[in-house]
Amino acid sequence: RTSRISQRSNQNRRSRGYSTTKHNMASRTTTSNLTDYPKVGMLVDLRDPEGIWSGASIVKVSEHARTGSSTRTGVTVELKYYGWDTTWNETITWDNQSRDNYDRMAKLFTYSRKAKCMVRLFHKGRKSLAKTKSAKGKNRATSEFWPCIVYFRMPEPSPVAEKLGTGMKYNYISSELLKMEPKVYVEPYAADVLQKKQRYALDEGDGVWIKATEIFQFDMDLIENPKAGFNDALKEAQCDLTTHDLESNNIFESGSLLCNKYLVRAVG
C-alpha cells in the first residue's frame, strides 16, 4: 500500500484541494481528553496507518446501535489530520475499551510536539513583498523571516510499539517515511496581518507546509529589516505562553524526522 507521504511527494501540494476550515491548534481551548464524550473541534494526537503521530481534530461525531444490544449505543468519530485535506480523514471507534482508542489516539501533544520558531517564509516562488525602498531610494532586501509555530510529527516510539505487540515495525517504517518527507506544517503568528500586508498565500486554514530546512530557532538576531506587520506577529508570539521557544537550528536528522535527542521515546 502506498503511504500518504510517498503519494504526496509526487504531487503538487497546491493542487490537493486543502480545506479552508480553521482549527488553530495553538489557540483552541477545547479539552483534549479521551475520557470525555467526544465533541466536534476536540483536538487529539492520532497515529496514522504508517505509525506516525500527528495532531488531528474531530470533525464529526456519530452514534450507532451496538452490535447485540438494543439499549446501548456506540460512538464513532471522524478525524481530520492537521494540515491535510479531507481525503485523508479517518473514522475511529470512540470507546475507552477499544483498541482503536488505545493505540491510535492520545491526548494532544502526548506524542506530537509544537515549538515557537522563526521561519524563512519569503523566498522565490512565494507571493510576497520582496523588497522595500531605502531612504536613498535604492532597493533594500527585507527580512525573510516570520515568527511561527512549527508542528512536529513523531514516529511510533519503540517501547510503545513493543508494548502493543508491533515490535520495531512501526518505529522503523514511520521513521523512514518522515525522512522522506521534506516539509513540516507551520502556523504563522498574526496570519491575518501576514496575508493582508505581505500578500502571502497560506495553504490550509492558518498554516502552510514549509521545508524543514527553513525552520530556525526563535532568535531576534536573525531579523535585520523586518517586514510590515512583523512587530504584530512578534508581539503575538511573545504573548503565547503555551508554546516553548525552539532553541536550536540543528533539530532534524533527515527530512522532517527529528534528531534522536528530540524524539519521544516513552510516555508516562
Side-chain angles (χ1 to χ4, degrees), residues 50-52 154-156 169-181 253-254 256-257 263 265:
E50 284 83 37
I52 298 173
M154 289 284 176
E156 178 80 295
K169 177 182 176 182
Y170 273 130
N171 177 258
Y172 175 78
I173 293 175
S174 55
S175 295
E176 291 302 307
L177 287 173
L178 286 172
K179 288 180 183 179
M180 292 167 55
E181 172 54 78
E253 175 185 331
S254 179
S256 58
L257 178 68
L263 294 176
R265 289 300 178 188

Side-chain angles (χ1 to χ4, degrees), residues 146-147 187-196 229-230 232-234 236-237:
W146 195 270
E187 198 168 71
Y189 285 100
D192 54 338
V193 174
L194 177 68
Q195 290 177 291
K196 180 178 180 181
F230 177 88
D232 293 324
L234 180 62
E236 187 174 304

Side-chain angles (χ1 to χ4, degrees), residues 69-83:
S69 174
S70 60
T71 58
R72 298 183 63 192
T73 58
V75 177
T76 58
V77 294
E78 182 180 345
L79 297 114
K80 180 181 182 298
Y81 288 100
Y82 196 53

